[in-house]
């Protein structure tokens, strides 16, 4: 008998944190305002009251300190889960993440494990001010030693969070802020598919849209809209950015022969380029059009009064599908 | 290997994350106006007040009151969905007005994001101030016009910009190229919150300032909270002591006392102008409101504490002294009230009229010189959106 | 009459710095050990003696401080040229570069210019220890607001440095450490081609190798070696990573119909993916094989006793060329 | 707006980057052994020395001498092209040995990259120590075996790891889960150079340490230089004062005096064990050699300065006292010399025998669990290199 509950994504993450705190004494949470306040998104709400201030630790206001001390705690056998308050404020911790956290296991020849999880609420479309809507995943994916997950629904959010915490590797979880209040079923007994694999969420035959995190519901809606125009779109939820399950994505692309990759992060230098290059290598002769990308523009995230024109939406995805089809005509 | 000595048994109390009981070593803040509104004598600082004209004294009040009015209005605009967010400065008016009134208008200020009273004092209009919070643009004013840099949200980053600016001042002097519109004895003010002092950048700024003996005044507003985290999580001792670590002077001041705030900032900025190198003010005040309109302080602080600080309201205290000392009468206060009622109405109108920046303009300012990717994407977006417009026209025609 | 001098790359950069210091009082250098020592690579040698300690400034040991104060000086009208001692030590400055330097002009609606140049000695093959051989360019290229240059020869090094300093935008110059002692002619009167465009260095007909910085001489040597096997390889020096001159690269790829992109940075998430995706978009139907990439592996830069197996070399480039040809056979 | 007061004219002297003349406020370092090798009395610190056995006193000498021998040998190995680089600890032996001898072997130490004497004291072998410098592996020893973390080159990063480790200690105590092999009164030592104190991470570490009252001892080796940059560029005042900024105690010690180094570390570590929270040592010493073998100190410091410090050699000083106080005779010194001659020869042999790590092993340790891209690339490389082997075999056959 399995316990299936309907939850919003934020609360699925809370549940995952609670379950891991309960399962392992060594699991700790650390971050700014995660205690009495429960975090600015209330994801840690109630956890300090339940597990005490020594396990749900309000830190000084210093991100490098949060990640750096998490590394030290992890060396000593703890499993710290660090919350960075917003995407745009992860950069003071960039050095600790890139030169220390990512490399520790490798540089010590596997002797020192640093099972740190970094929770990073990310992405736009929340009508916020500067620095509160960014998608920095590509800046971490390039660095070997980090695992990067991007759940798009409550079930994944719950299980990926748990899997991240029990993993002996450092994991960054990108939590799509605009989907915190998205409802969905969470099966608390039966794990979601392997966190590090992509998943075909909707089958189709004419083209594939591959995306992750906040844009998955958009891709599904785009596929639905395309059906009206008698186009059958397959949707792949990429789920894990590092490792990248290029196999599943390429298989889908080889099948539909057209691939569109979408993310909120700026296209230029984004992870979409990596996916496009990899899929082309694996499926060049199957593709009827180059892999096309839909992403943010090469600009700092704009004032949110204009974010609707910046962020990929259904129309932008369908335009890319159209463009993909236009290649066939010209071929 | 030795076990060290004395070999007493460990008795370390308290765990990480617990509310420790150790009290910070207390440093009495400079206070010139008691909470009851009486003037206290201070050999060093009182002279700075003595020479203020009644007009100037009233001006201080005026800006404090203006900030408070604006704050209330902005909060209500946010509630009505007209602002993305608002960060009230409620309770910090004296700290801000006293400090900025003590420096020259040609001195550059690097604010964090809550220095609304300082911004107003520098002539930034309410709608310029609210632009960022309406999220129509990232910033609403020209920092060069007001010698007031744009708000910086990545905490403590601006303290390094302030140090760099101060390096520029010294360079200008060294090369006899002080700009016409600047004072020969120019200084810089770097604002920072109690929470943000924990950031590495705050430290590096102070290291540079001390090393190069920069004309830089740090203005820490210790408002007791960094969102839900109390100041003691950032520092066990008073923040003013941080200055000692770098070998420069710091002064703790009652930030709810506009006269003390003015006097301390006058004294320290004067010293800096005279060549002392950097100084630091820890202004002890209180964030009477929520962190921002998205915050709920009842989750982390007591109403007793809030009540206590209501009793230390910086405006009430100053107003009562202004009256009792005969520097202002009821007529003045009524006039100020009326003025700000108008201000509020005007502000509401002009804020609602703020146009979102055009995305083309965002493209155009990513770089100051042409950039291939920006141009391509800008052109693409234009075409793309034009396609929609066409479709709509077509649809319109068809319908 | 033009002054053409033979110089090593390091000294070409010294000359560029000297000429800009002489040309504009507002130009300043700042960094660790750049004064009396002349920098650990002696690139600033003699400049403090010539221009004084107030123009060639030894900083405290703090990279965020170096970049952060450079921003402040730039706001006040100076043109600071900041030296970061080694690639691996740029990360403490990552926040100032990414959230402040890159965005300042945009967020102030064009009102505040921050003409900061960051000199970043980078790349491997110098037999050094950890953190001294990295290639972090992709971590900057993704961020709008930065320009990124990668000279491969003394002439470019001289002119790109000067162009970077006079540019009103922030520029990061990647100086390929292993080529500091590479000799070449520098024409001090006649500028190199526009710093922000790619350049075809060698014409060919069968395949193109596009690369930048330290690998350009390797690509030229690979092209020479390929000639022995009667393959005609075109070599494109990418030169500018942001902006990226995809036009020139794609034109070459469309002509030779095969493209290999090489960089020392790890392939995964590297700028090669961006180039591959862009070129495919522009030249899909002209390409006989997918764009192939040659780069570092998904690992922290290995101990330098093993760097020869990690770094792309002639053989790795030629293997990729072969692989590119193998696609034709299978098509 | 006011112009502030007093309105004295600016007279800020010196420009950014110039050698300022302001002298740092001096703090006399604790010294128990004069440069002439005489014992000085100190009420607080002498008792820690009084109880040291002659054997222990000789042991201190032994490790100092060992480091110096290793240092010479490593430098010559580097000159012969057998090491990528070497960073000598020459001159800092007393600071390092005195400090590490004063703590327990179960206390974790987070070194920077020049703590060779400390490493040796912890039983790390010369070839383990030199592995990183031969660039055959990033690190040569198992930090868990020696309670001595690997060297960290990104300056000051390790101070935060130390703070995290100390948070773990407190957590262990709180949950009654102190590991068997650890002391109940465990502490941590974070090493850092004078230059590295300027990094933001050093600050954040101290903020966390103070806030959580961590059992953490900061050990700053102020060796007067950060490559070519003198300490005064990092700090106008003594670095020991940094501790005051955070509200904990700091002590300045003569780092060329092994006895004082031992006593101060004993005293402070004992206090920390007893629950005092963090403490800081500024050990004033001198980098007698080059920064590394890639450096040329003649470019930035005077030979007078170097001569001055040669006269303060920590080993000569200690040796002369050991003899005069009758704790060691010429026989002992001869024995030590002989022993380290052997050590040097062995070390040379074992260093030259160090095998470069296999790239497969590098692949295998990027993650502790399988990772698709790593596996693909590892397999690719295997195929690729096998292809070469084949080609060579073919060529061999053909030739
Ligand atoms: C680097 C960074 N981390 C986190 C945040 C999110 N944040 C915004 S304000 C704030 C608290 C700031 O406290 P304090 O410095 O005391 O200033 P106050 O809000 O009290 O004025 C936090 C954590 C941020 N803006 N920047
Ligand atoms: C973050 C960072 N920046 C720069 C460097 C390059 N670097 C290596 S050692 C050094 C000087 C360190 O000086 P100090 O901290 O005084 O230690 P010492 O070398 O004197 O032992 C520098 C600048 C580095 N390793 N890490
Ligand atoms: Mg505060
Ligand atoms: Mg030093």
């Amino acid at each position: 008998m399995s316990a299936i509950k309907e939850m919003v994504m934020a609360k699925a993450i809370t549940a995952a944190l609670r379950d891991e705190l309960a399962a392992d004494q060594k699991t700790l949470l650390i971050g700014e305002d995660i205690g009495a306040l429960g975090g600015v998104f209330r994801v840690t709400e109630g956890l300090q009251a339940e597990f005490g201030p020594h396990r749900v630790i309000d830190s000084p206001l210093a991100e490098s300190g949060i990640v750096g001390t998490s590394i030290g705690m992890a060396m000593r056998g703890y499993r710290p889960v660090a919350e960075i308050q917003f995407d745009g404020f992860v950069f003071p911790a960039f050095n600790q993440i890139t030169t220390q956290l990512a490399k520790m296991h490798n540089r010590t020849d596997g002797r020192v494990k640093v099972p740190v999880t970094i929770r990073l609420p990310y992405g736009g479309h929340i009508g916020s001010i500067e620095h509160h809507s960014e998608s920095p995943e590509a800046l971490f994916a390039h660095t070997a030693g980090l695992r990067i997950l991007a759940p798009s629904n409550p079930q994944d959010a719950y299980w990926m969070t748990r899997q991240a915490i029990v993993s002996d590797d450092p994991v960054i979880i990108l939590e799509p802020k605009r989907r915190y209040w998205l409802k969905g079923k969470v099966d608390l007994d039966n794990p979601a598919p392997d966190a590090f694999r992509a998943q075909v969420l909707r089958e189709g035959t004419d083209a594939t849209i591959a995306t992750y995190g906040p844009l998955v519901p958009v891709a599904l809606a785009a596929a639905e809209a395309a059906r009206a125009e008698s186009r059958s779109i397959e949707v792949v939820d990429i789920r894990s950015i590092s490792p990248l399950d290029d196999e599943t994505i390429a298989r889908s692309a080889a099948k539909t022969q057209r691939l569109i990759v979408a993310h909120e992060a700026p296209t230029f230098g984004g992870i979409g380029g990596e996916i496009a290059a990899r899929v082309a290598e694996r499926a060049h002769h199957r593709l009827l059009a180059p892999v096309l990308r839909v992403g943010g523009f090469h600009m700092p995230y704009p004032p949110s009064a204009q974010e609707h024109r910046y962020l990929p939406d259904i129309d932008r995805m369908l335009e890319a599908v159209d463009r993909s089809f236009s290649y066939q005509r010209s071929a | 290997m030795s076990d060290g000595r004395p070999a007493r048994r460990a008795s370390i109390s308290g765990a990480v994350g617990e509310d420790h009981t150790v009290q910070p070593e207390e440093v009495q803040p400079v206070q010139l106006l008691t909470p009851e509104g009486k003037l206290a004598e201070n050999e060093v600082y009182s002279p700075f007040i003595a020479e203020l004209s009644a007009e100037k004294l009233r001006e201080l009040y005026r800006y404090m009151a203006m900030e408070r009015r604006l704050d209330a209005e902005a909060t209500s605009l946010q509630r009505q969905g007209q602002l993305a967010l608002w960060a009230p400065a409620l309770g910090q008016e004296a700290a801000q007005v006293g400090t900025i009134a003590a420096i020259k208008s040609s001195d550059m200020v690097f604010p964090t994001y809550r220095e609304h009273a300082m911004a107003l004092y520098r002539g930034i209009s309410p709608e310029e101030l609210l632009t960022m919070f309406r999220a129509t643009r990232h910033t609403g004013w020209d920092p060069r016009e007001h010698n007031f840099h744009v708000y910086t949200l990545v905490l403590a980053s601006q303290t390094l910009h302030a140090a760099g600016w101060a390096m520029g001042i010294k360079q200008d002097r060294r090369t006899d190229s002080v700009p016409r519109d600047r004072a020969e004895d120019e200084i810089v003010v770097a604002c920072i919150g109690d929470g943000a002092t924990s950031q590495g950048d705050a430290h590096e700024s102070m290291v540079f300032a001390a090393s190069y003996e920069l004309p830089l005044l740090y203005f820490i507003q210790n408002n007791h909270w960094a969102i839900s985290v109390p100041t003691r999580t950032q520092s066990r001792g008073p923040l003013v002591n941080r200055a000692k670590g770098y070998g420069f002077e710091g002064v703790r001041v009652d930030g709810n006392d506009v006269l003390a705030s003015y006097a301390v900032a006058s004294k320290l900025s004067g010293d800096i102008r005279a060549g002392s190198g950097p100084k630091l003010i820890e202004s002890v005040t209180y964030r009477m409101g929520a962190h921002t309109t998205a915050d709920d302080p009842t989750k982390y602080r007591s109403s007793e504490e809030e009540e206590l600080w209501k009793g230390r309201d910086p405006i009430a205290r100053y107003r009562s002294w202004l009256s009792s000392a005969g520097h202002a009468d009821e007529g003045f206060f009524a006039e100020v009230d009326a003025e700000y009622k108008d201000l509020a109405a005007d502000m509401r109108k002009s804020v609602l009229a703020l146009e979102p920046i055009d995305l083309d303009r965002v493209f155009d300012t990513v770089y100051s010189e042409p950039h291939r990717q920006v141009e391509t994407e800008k052109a693409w977006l234009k075409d793309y959106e034009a396609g929609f417009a066409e479709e709509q026209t077509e649809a319109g025609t068809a319908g």
Side-chain angles (χ1 to χ4, degrees), chain B residues 108 110 137-144 149-158 160-175 177-179 182 186 201 204-205 207-208 211-212 357 361-373 376-377:
Chain B
M108 188 74 178
F110 286 84
R137 293 166 184 268
H138 287 318
T139 53
W141 64 90
D142 188 337
R144 297 162 307 187
H149 189 54
V150 298
Y151 280 172
T152 298
L153 296 186
V154 183
L155 296 169
S157 297
Q158 77 283 357
L160 278 169
H161 310 158
W165 185 274
M167 287 165 76
I169 293 178
K170 290 198 80 165
Q171 219 68 294
D172 286 354
R173 284 196 199 124
R174 175 75 172 69
T175 53
S177 57
V178 176
R182 307 249 170 232
E186 186 182 350
D201 274 5
E204 297 192 12
S205 174
V207 167
F208 275 65
S211 179
Y212 299 138
I357 192 168
R361 177 77 192 154
V362 182
F363 273 123
D364 290 344
T365 56
V366 178
Y367 298 90
S368 48
E369 295 159 19
H371 185 286
R372 187 172 178 76
Q373 273 70 47
T376 314
E377 293 184 352

Side-chain angles (χ1 to χ4, degrees), chain B residues 311-389:
Chain B
R312 298 179 187 162
D313 186 313
I315 297 190
R317 186 196 298 193
Y318 188 49
R319 180 179 172 144
S320 109
W321 175 73
L322 274 184
S323 309
S324 67
H327 295 304
D329 56 17
E330 284 310 307
F332 168 75
F333 296 118
E335 177 204 312
V336 170
D337 284 355
E339 194 177 310
Y340 295 138
K341 210 162 267 164
D342 289 352
L343 175 119
D346 289 355
M347 156 182 158
R348 164 170 289 262
K349 219 182 301 161
S350 50
V351 166
L352 296 187
L354 285 171
E355 286 287 332
I357 192 168
D358 195 291
L359 217 50
D360 275 2
R361 177 77 192 154
V362 182
F363 273 123
D364 290 344
T365 56
V366 178
Y367 298 90
S368 48
E369 295 159 19
H371 185 286
R372 187 172 178 76
Q373 273 70 47
V374 169
E375 284 168 5
T376 314
E377 293 184 352
K378 186 181 166 192
W380 179 88
L381 181 64
K382 195 176 170 186
D383 270 11
Y384 170 74
E385 291 185 339
F388 270 93

Side-chain angles (χ1 to χ4, degrees), chain A residues 23 41 46 55 73 89 99 132 135 142 165 185 187 189-190 192 194 219 237 242 246 271 284 305:
Chain A
F41 292 105
R55 300 204 47 211
M73 289 190 280
F89 307 136
T99 75
H132 289 72
S135 299
H142 187 40
I165 296 172
K185 287 205 193 328
D187 184 336
D189 293 329
N190 295 303
D194 181 350
D237 185 346
S242 178
D246 47 1
I271 202 68
H284 178 72

Side-chain angles (χ1 to χ4, degrees), chain A residues 257-316:
Chain A
Q257 302 192 276
R258 288 190 178 80
L259 176 62
I260 283 85
V261 183
H263 49 56
E264 288 191 8
T267 303
F268 187 74
I271 202 68
E274 181 60 39
I275 296 170
R278 254 165 219 268
V279 169
E281 277 186 50
R282 300 180 73 110
H284 178 72
H285 291 298
R286 294 283 307 158
L287 294 178
L288 298 175
V291 178
L292 297 180
R293 295 174 293 162
V294 180
F297 300 119
H298 190 63
M299 57 169 60
Y301 196 90
S304 61
Q306 286 286 21
E307 65 186 341
H308 60 284
R309 292 173 69 198
Y310 171 87
L311 288 168
D313 58 10
I314 298 177
D315 289 328
R316 290 258 292 275

Side-chain angles (χ1 to χ4, degrees), chain B residues 193-195 221 223-226:
Chain B
D194 51 301
Q221 286 171 78
N223 63 3
H224 283 70
W225 293 95

